[in-house]
Structures are given as C-alpha cells and as structure tokens.
Amino acid sequence: SGTNRMNTVKITNKAKLFAETGSAFDTTDLGKIKTRAGGHDIIPLKPDPMAKTSMKPDPTNFLKKFAGNGGTMVPKPEPVYTKAELAQQAIKSRQPKMLTYPAFVARPNPPNTELRRFYERGDLPIQIDHGGVANRLAWKVEIQKLDFHHYLPIFFDGLREVEPPYAFVAEQGVMDMLEAGAHKVLPVIPQLIIPIKTALNTRDRAVVVKVLKILQALVNCDVAVSGGAGLIGQALVPYYRQILPVL
C-alpha cells in the first residue's frame, strides 16, 4: 500500500529562487545586486594590430597522439562530403535564434524591483487571500481611493518578477487596479513606460508574454469609461519608440 501511495504522488519541480531572496523569514539582500535589469554584456575591445606584443607560448599546444602525419610529409586527406551530407550536417548543428542571436537571448533579471522592496517592508495595502480554487488579493483600502501615481508604477515594476509570491502580487495587483480604477489610469501612463520597457528588456519569454497581456488590458480598461473611445491607446502612441524595439 505504501508503494502504491508513492506512485500516486505528483512531484513538481521547485520554482527557481534567487540567492539574494534568502529564506521566508529574511528580506531580499538588495545590497548584493549590482546587475542592471535588461542589461547586456560588455563587448571586449579588439587588440590593436599595430601594437608590438610577443605571444606567450601555450604549454598545451604540442603534437598529440594520432595528430601527426605518420612520419611522412603528406597530410591526411580531408573527407569529401556530398551536398546532401553537408546539408544534413548543417541541419543538425543549427540552433534556434532564441539561443544564438543576442537580440533574443534572455538578459539579466535581478530581484530588485520596487514591488519586492515595498512588499517585504509591508508598505502595500494588500494581503494574499489563499482561496480553495485560486488565490486573490485582499485590499485593505478601496482601490478607487488609492494614489495611482504612487502605487500603479510599483505594481508595473514588479511585472518582471518570476518568483512567488511577488509575480502573483504584481500581476493581480495591476489587473485589480485597472479594473476598479480605469478612470484614474490615463494620467499615470508616462510613469508606466520605464517599468514596461525594463520588463521587456529582460527578454524572458514568460515575462514578455505577461507584459503583453497587461498591455492589452491597459489599452482596453478605459473603453467602457470613455464611452467606447479608449484614450489610453492614443496616449501610448508617443512611447512606441521605447516599447516596440524590444518586440
């Protein structure tokens, strides 16, 4: 019976945790984080061809077994491949763009968002309501009475979080504020551009998909309020230069 019980237990992979997060009783060590979200590696400078430098000999660069010409001056013949064989080798060695092209490769995403800092400090008027089917946010203050200029950019900055509970708090907090206070979102649009751009710059596929869903909700949240003519979509047009290059 014990063996059958073990066979029915579902094992799920543990979510990836950052080293700076610590345990459930610690706050994130933001002082150790020096990387910039969405930043790319520095390209090293090429050596000056005109500079006179002597190359240091490599101690591992020597003739190894089965690497010589067998005591003759005739090099080993190179294998000759047909076009079909060359095409097959090219297909086998091909890698997707997501792994080889720098524009698509995921970039650093350190856990130093404003939402994480405010949530760990207890400065957000929310708490997680763990329901039987799904979790939700229990707001301690009516959403319409909140200062959207202060809280909405904080939740948008947390959209690049990938750790629970920060990822859930950020996404659900944004959706709740867009639904309950759609008439107060339009003046805050300029403050949301940098968090959106930073989240997209991480090139993390899960984060990009999440931000695109939030952008759809952001554009459509004031359609009913403004009588069918959403003004948020028009307000985002001047900021396409910041948002679209990543996509």
Side-chain angles (χ1 to χ4, degrees):
S1 60
T3 305
N4 296 334
R5 184 180 303 174
M6 291 297 296
N7 293 334
T8 58
V9 174
K10 293 183 178 180
I11 300 176
T12 56
N13 294 328
K14 188 177 180 181
K16 178 183 177 181
L17 298 177
F18 293 100
E20 297 84 1
T21 303
S23 68
F25 305 98
D26 302 326
T27 57
T28 303
D29 191 0
L30 300 177
K32 289 185 178 180
I33 301 175
K34 304 299 181 183
T35 57
R36 182 174 63 89
H40 52 77
D41 297 332
I42 299 176
I43 301 176
L45 297 177
K46 295 183 179 179
D48 187 4
M50 302 300 294
K52 295 181 179 180
T53 57
S54 59
M55 299 298 293
K56 185 178 180 180
D58 186 4
T60 63
N61 186 16
F62 57 89
L63 191 63
K64 300 177 178 63
K65 189 176 182 180
F66 302 115
N69 295 330
T72 66
M73 298 299 293
V74 181
K76 293 181 178 180
E78 297 183 358
V80 179
Y81 299 102
T82 63
K83 291 184 177 180
E85 291 174 339
L86 292 175
Q88 189 68 23
Q89 292 178 4
I91 292 175
K92 290 182 178 180
S93 61
R94 185 182 302 169
Q95 291 184 340
K97 291 183 178 180
M98 295 297 179
L99 299 178
T100 56
Y101 284 50
F104 299 100
V105 175
R107 294 185 177 179
N109 186 14
N112 57 350
T113 61
E114 289 295 308
L115 178 125
R116 180 182 289 245
R117 186 163 64 91
F118 276 78
Y119 181 79
E120 291 178 346
R121 209 163 58 183
D123 289 344
L124 297 178
I126 57 171
Q127 64 182 22
I128 301 179
D129 184 8
H130 298 277
V133 178
N135 298 339
R136 66 184 184 90
L137 290 182
W139 293 83
K140 303 176 183 178
V141 183
E142 293 185 17
I143 299 179
Q144 293 83 354
K145 296 181 179 179
L146 291 175
D147 183 5
F148 272 52
H149 286 275
H150 176 67
Y151 287 105
L152 193 57
I154 293 176
F155 282 99
F156 264 84
D157 190 44
L159 290 178
R160 63 182 178 89
E161 286 282 357
V162 294
E163 276 187 352
Y166 311 103
F168 167 75
V169 170
E171 184 176 6
Q172 192 61 42
V174 169
M175 297 302 293
D176 289 352
M177 294 185 73
L178 294 181
E179 181 180 358
H183 59 285
K184 303 178 69 175
V185 175
L186 182 61
V188 196
I189 291 297
Q191 296 176 249
L192 307 180
I193 301 304
I194 292 180
I196 293 174
K197 179 183 177 182
T198 304
L200 292 175
N201 268 334
T202 60
R203 264 76 168 178
D204 190 325
R205 299 181 66 179
V207 174
V208 172
V209 170
K210 185 197 307 183
V211 173
L212 291 179
K213 291 181 179 179
I214 294 296
L215 284 175
Q216 290 180 345
L218 178 66
V219 172
N220 296 322
C221 71
D222 70 330
V223 173
V225 178
S226 58
L231 301 177
I232 293 180
Q234 301 178 23
L236 287 174
V237 173
Y239 304 103
Y240 282 173
R241 186 178 297 178
Q242 283 78 23
I243 299 176
L244 293 182
V246 183
L247 304 176

